[in-house]
Amino acid sequence: MKVTLNKKGDVYSVYVPKKDMEQIVVSIEQNGAWGGEFTLANGWVLEFETLDAEPTLPRTMEAKLLTRGD
């Protein structure tokens, strides 16, 4: 799914346009320099591809929904 990832200070947020939903990232299980599993405040876990460095944000990226936190 396409999402927009943003960062203000040290806090990441994710906007999901299809759901018109914005959530704060509460934890990150990082793989490599940047990427991995991002857990949102609503319980969703999104997986972002591993990158060599943090991308310039805000940025629209592809993320895989691993769980809705049910």
Side-chain angles (χ1 to χ4, degrees):
M1 80 172 58
K2 293 232 183 256
V3 301
T4 301
L5 184 64
N6 199 5
K7 185 177 181 182
K8 292 181 182 165
D10 290 337
V11 179
Y12 287 99
S13 65
V14 173
Y15 176 69
V16 182
K18 285 193 170 203
K19 298 286 186 184
D20 191 27
M21 172 185 77
E22 185 169 13
Q23 293 287 318
I24 299 295
V25 176
V26 294
S27 71
I28 299 172
E29 286 187 36
Q30 207 160 327
N31 295 332
W34 191 90
E37 295 181 8
F38 287 49
T39 303
L40 308 183
N42 67 352
W44 284 24
V45 179
L46 299 176
E47 182 177 46
F48 289 90
E49 82 176 278
T50 301
L51 302 174
D52 293 333
E54 181 176 309
T56 304
L57 300 175
R59 177 181 230 164
T60 300
M61 305 178 75
E62 192 67 33
K64 180 179 178 184
L65 179 61
L66 298 180
T67 180
R68 292 187 188 269
D70 300 333

